[in-house]
Amino acid sequence: MSGPQPRAEVMQIHAYVGGESKLPGINRVIKLSSNEGAFGPPPAAQAAFAKVAAEIHRYPDGGSAELRRAIGARFGLPPERIVCGTGSDELIQHLCMIYGGPGTEIIMSMHGFSMYQIAGTYAGSRVLKTPERNLTADVDAMLAAVSADTRIVFLANPNNPTGSLLPQSEVERLRAGLPDEVLLVLDAAYAEYVTDPGYDAGVKLVDAGENTVMLRTFSKVFGLGGMRVGWAYGPAGVIDALNRVRGVFNVNIAAQAAAVAALAEPGWVERSVAHTTEWRERLRAALEAVGIATWPSAGNFFLADFATAERAAAANAWLKSRGIIVRAMGTYDLPHCLRITVGTAEECGLVADALRDFAQHG
Ligand SMILES: *Cc1c(COP(=O)(O)O)cnc(C)c1O
């Protein structure tokens, strides 16, 4: 072979498979495949985006200072301990490059978010996937996988794609059982959706030591997936390292403006969460009523469990033929499941109708 050769680990990576968004021949597609939220972008964010159009010849503020101040005010956190990224995906990658690398190991659970595997492998680390119980991360299995080479443990809580939520006591037991030099990354992309009063997105553990970082995103409840804004809250040492390596102008000028405005949209999160919680459970109940099993979820999505890969594929094709796109789960080793994002009331009704018909005739 001639031509430039990628590093061997690059060729081990399976490129990320995102949610589909188009169906040939179907005009009105109902896209419930990427957990983008039911309401579109906040109106204030759309207005801010439009307004910034006349300024796009300017470089953005590389430090996202105004956005970090707004995040800090909203969540009661010191802005200097926040780093913004081009989505939290950028920050996941940097954390792997900073703390991982050849000869090191990164731990995630079996059905954890696939970006950890991609980013960890890219960094040159060995990525270990530990068994789960009931599609929920198992702290004992994660701790058992720790070796002298372990550098990072990733935990999405709630987890995507399973929707499972690890109780705070278990998250604390995980941290307590890890060596001090192992970074625990708590990915709280769906934090706003959690209604469990005992839940902490990660702030407590970040504040309790030097070795835990929390990741958040504007892509889910805030409805700005297309803008690519995420952020990390962490100990000074982790924040300092991220600031050395992140893209210098990583969050673009429109994304910063839209995110600041989204935070200021009155009642947005409350409305989104109330709708999502109600319709997630209504849709789950509708599927259960026609004999389709579902998994409990703390996010704006849930897994429908068709018991076999064949049946799940048939259900997926059935939904597609009706213009409904959900997420196939083969890449997550859950080929018997489909992940369904909670959409509008109308969309949920259409999914329920289609899957009722599938259960009866499909
Ligand atoms: C969607 C998602 C992210 C990525 O968010 P971006 O900020 O859009 O990069 C990270 N972690 C989990 C678990 C997610 O589901």
Side-chain angles (χ1 to χ4, degrees):
M1 230 194 306
S2 63
Q5 295 303 304
R7 291 185 294 121
E9 51 264 40
V10 171
M11 301 314 289
Q12 291 163 12
I13 294 172
H14 298 282
Y16 183 81
V17 182
E20 294 172 280
S21 57
K22 291 201 168 61
L23 293 173
I26 294 185
N27 292 329
R28 188 191 169 203
V29 163
I30 296 170
K31 183 172 186 288
L32 302 173
S33 57
S34 298
N35 299 345
E36 289 151 328
F39 296 117
Q46 295 183 52
F49 180 82
K51 198 167 156 226
V52 86
E55 297 290 323
I56 58 173
H57 60 305
R58 305 278 183 214
Y59 276 93
D61 166 17
S64 300
E66 190 192 347
L67 175 55
R68 286 188 298 108
R69 269 197 303 277
I71 293 168
R74 166 78 166 235
F75 296 97
L77 302 172
E80 66 276 10
R81 298 263 302 281
I82 294 169
V83 179
C84 295
T86 313
S88 46
D89 283 354
E90 184 201 2
L91 303 170
I92 292 169
Q93 270 199 19
H94 289 315
L95 290 170
C96 290
M97 298 293 280
I98 292 168
Y99 296 101
T104 70
E105 290 175 349
I106 290 174
I107 295 171
M108 63 183 285
S109 74
M110 193 64 180
H111 308 294
F113 186 51
S114 64
M115 271 305 300
Y116 313 147
Q117 179 162 34
I118 293 174
T121 307
Y122 183 31
S125 299
R126 219 154 67 83
V127 180
L128 308 180
K129 290 187 174 182
T130 57
E132 299 187 357
R133 270 189 222 207
N134 276 331
L135 297 193
T136 305
D138 178 350
V139 168
D140 294 309
M142 289 182 125
L143 291 176
V146 172
S147 77
D149 297 329
T150 306
R151 296 293 181 272
I152 306 177
V153 174
F154 278 103
L155 179 72
N157 203 34
N159 184 51
N160 171 20
T162 56
S164 58
L165 185 73
L166 205 58
Q168 179 64 14
S169 56
E170 283 293 278
V171 181
E172 286 173 12
R173 193 164 73 83
L174 174 61
R175 178 65 271 178
L178 292 172
D180 284 348
E181 63 276 15
V182 171
L183 181 71
L184 175 62
V185 180
L186 296 174
D187 181 347
Y190 301 93
E192 288 81 1
Y193 289 110
V194 178
T195 50
D196 177 347
Y199 175 72
D200 184 84
V203 173
K204 274 189 200 161
L205 281 173
V206 172
D207 289 346
E210 301 298 320
N211 46 20
T212 303
V213 64
M214 170 180 76
L215 297 180
R216 304 288 287 265
T217 182
F218 280 87
S219 300
K220 306 287 160 54
V221 80
F222 287 105
L224 296 181
M227 292 271 84
R228 314 303 306 123
V229 192
W231 54 280
Y233 172 64
V238 175
I239 295 303
D240 174 58
L242 281 170
N243 273 324
R244 289 168 193 263
V245 301
R246 67 175 170 79
V248 273
F249 298 111
N250 56 351
V251 185
N252 72 61
I253 198 166
Q256 290 187 35
V260 168
L263 288 171
E265 178 85 46
W268 180 262
V269 171
E270 293 78 1
R271 279 199 302 283
S272 302
V273 172
H275 166 89
T276 302
T277 311
E278 178 187 347
W279 283 94
R280 184 186 64 217
E281 298 315 315
R282 283 172 80 152
L283 185 51
R284 284 185 61 211
L287 302 198
E288 299 273 351
V290 297
I292 298 169
T294 68
W295 289 85
S297 171
N300 65 335
F301 59 90
F302 65 91
L303 288 180
D305 191 329
F306 294 87
T308 68
E310 292 69 29
R311 193 79 183 138
N316 198 15
W318 183 276
L319 289 170
K320 277 187 187 177
S321 73
R322 284 159 176 72
I324 299 169
I325 306 181
V326 300
R327 189 73 151 263
M329 288 282 104
T331 54
Y332 280 93
D333 284 327
L334 298 166
H336 55 292
C337 291
L338 296 176
R339 192 193 68 192
I340 303 174
T341 302
V342 178
T344 63
E346 186 202 4
E347 289 168 339
C348 290
L350 291 169
V351 172
D353 289 349
L355 286 177
R356 181 200 55 221
D357 293 348
F358 174 75
Q360 289 165 359
H361 312 290

